[in-house]
Amino acid sequence: MVPSDDAGALEWLAFEQAGVLTTAQVSQLLPEGVVRGRIRSGRWRSICRGILLTGNGRLTRDQQLWVAVLAAGPGAVLAGVTAAAEAGIRGLRREPLHVLVPAARRAARTTLRRLPIDMPAVLVHRTSILPEAHLQLARPPRTTTARALIDAAGWAAGVDEAQGLLAAGCQQRRVLPDELHAVLDALPRAPRRQLIRQTTHDIAGGAQALSEIDFIRLCRRHRLPTPDLQEHRTDAAGRKRWLDAYWREWRVHAEIDGAHHMDSRQWAADMRRQNDVWTSGDRILRFPAWLIRARPHEVAETILRALTAAGWTPPPPQPT
């Protein structure tokens, strides 16, 4: 609830920070004895060393985020998947919370190891590069969506997770590939830098789903021509259609089916689209996304046969 017009500085500060305050902030507004009295009476909670809650209930999500930032110390901001989730990207892990702090100072690690049971774990990362352009005007403070995704991809457990994070941000229209490139240019030592650059390049070319990124990598690995992605077509009824992958010169079209294509309504729509393309004379291939990852050689062999039948000449074998 927004404080009344005659509310004091303490009420406004508690409102701005979801009721989470540092003892340093409170000491400037209340006598120490009053603060101790509110904690002893149960009106306020002591969350951890230096952090208070102006209430006595379980921590809400907003309060957890504030605790993470304030407990990590001055200059700390939400980062990685935590900042990306706050920017509206769906399907990301909610825990642990990721916080970025300047490399010149140390986070209060002892404090962060002694958090209450209703507070998720907090992972602290350090950086020597955090320009104003990488900071989002938000409360709690966080990195921009582009910086959050670049960091998250570098901190991810594996390559697939890293690519999935980048694809999710672009697919959900929360960030543009050019924004990712701009952040990456400012981070010469970013983990997985080359992978991130190649992935964002593929996304900029139209591969907005992870399966499509895998598909482009498969084509390169097996020395197949690179298709155009998300090719625009108009069907017989004048409706706009988007082809996942299209080799225009040989009129070969590949569809990459994710799990949503198993839905009966989606399946029927896919069939209608496929028939529209078939009747125009194109060759159509369809691959489930899992097959691209599990049996890439089988997929590559199928594409090779289709392109060869359409008139493409494979390159000579590489010398061994």
Side-chain angles (χ1 to χ4, degrees):
M1 181 180 295
V2 179
S4 61
D5 292 339
D6 59 350
L10 178 64
E11 290 179 83
W12 277 106
L13 182 60
F15 169 72
E16 291 173 359
Q17 297 182 183
V20 180
L21 308 175
T22 66
T23 52
Q25 290 174 325
V26 175
S27 66
Q28 298 178 12
L29 301 171
L30 289 177
E32 184 178 346
V34 173
V35 176
R36 286 200 304 267
R38 294 187 181 185
I39 294 173
R40 282 198 300 266
S41 68
R43 290 175 59 193
W44 285 13
R45 277 183 65 187
S46 176
I47 302 301
C48 58
R49 183 178 180 180
I51 305 296
L52 302 173
L53 176 67
T54 59
N56 56 14
R58 289 181 61 85
L59 293 172
T60 65
R61 178 66 175 178
D62 283 345
Q63 290 167 346
Q64 291 173 346
L65 298 176
W66 272 108
V67 169
V69 168
L70 295 177
V77 295
L78 299 176
V81 292
T82 306
E86 287 302 295
I89 299 178
R90 304 181 303 277
L92 305 183
R93 294 180 183 177
R94 292 173 60 85
E95 299 179 9
L97 304 181
H98 292 263
V99 174
L100 197 60
V101 301
R105 54 165 298 274
R106 295 182 177 274
R109 296 186 182 276
T110 302
T111 298
L112 293 171
R113 285 197 295 266
R114 297 177 179 175
L115 296 172
I117 195 170
D118 56 341
M119 180 66 196
V122 179
L123 294 184
V124 177
H125 309 268
R126 301 172 68 196
T127 181
S128 59
I129 302 176
L130 189 59
E132 288 293 327
H134 291 186
L135 296 175
Q136 180 71 43
L137 184 61
R139 301 193 67 82
R142 66 175 190 260
T143 60
T144 60
T145 308
R147 175 63 187 264
L149 288 173
I150 295 296
D151 285 337
W155 303 335
V159 169
D160 286 349
E161 181 182 344
Q163 290 187 305
L165 290 165
L166 299 169
C170 294
Q171 190 175 36
Q172 295 176 30
R173 304 294 191 267
R174 296 297 179 178
V175 70
L176 296 173
D178 286 348
E179 294 174 311
L180 296 173
H181 279 298
V183 169
L184 196 60
D185 288 341
L187 301 173
R189 296 184 180 179
R192 296 197 176 103
R193 194 171 190 273
Q194 189 56 42
L195 172 74
I196 294 171
R197 183 171 296 282
Q198 184 62 66
T199 301
T200 53
H201 176 76
D202 290 341
I203 292 171
Q208 295 177 335
L210 181 56
S211 55
E212 294 170 12
I213 296 173
D214 291 337
F215 191 77
I216 289 294
R217 294 174 65 193
L218 179 149
C219 291
R220 291 197 184 108
R221 189 180 305 119
H222 293 274
R223 305 178 68 200
L224 297 169
T226 302
D228 294 324
L229 298 177
Q230 296 298 320
E231 173 78 7
H232 171 257
R233 294 282 293 274
T234 302
D235 66 15
R239 293 168 297 192
K240 290 183 179 179
R241 300 293 191 185
W242 299 93
L243 311 182
D244 285 347
Y246 188 56
W247 290 269
R248 179 183 298 277
E249 183 176 351
W250 303 281
R251 300 190 66 181
V252 174
H253 160 213
E255 280 293 298
I256 304 163
D257 296 345
H260 69 285
H261 288 268
M262 299 304 291
D263 178 83
S264 59
R265 290 169 296 181
Q266 181 67 42
W267 178 81
D270 287 344
M271 293 303 101
R272 286 194 296 271
R273 178 172 64 169
Q274 183 168 299
N275 289 339
D276 284 337
V277 177
W278 252 333
T279 54
S280 70
D282 287 354
R283 288 177 168 84
I284 295 183
L285 305 173
R286 295 191 71 169
F287 305 106
W290 66 265
L291 188 67
I292 295 172
R293 298 188 185 95
R295 297 205 289 271
H297 290 281
E298 178 181 324
V299 174
E301 180 61 30
T302 302
I303 297 171
L304 175 63
R305 291 198 306 269
L307 288 172
T308 302
W312 176 64
T313 303
Q318 291 181 324
T320 58

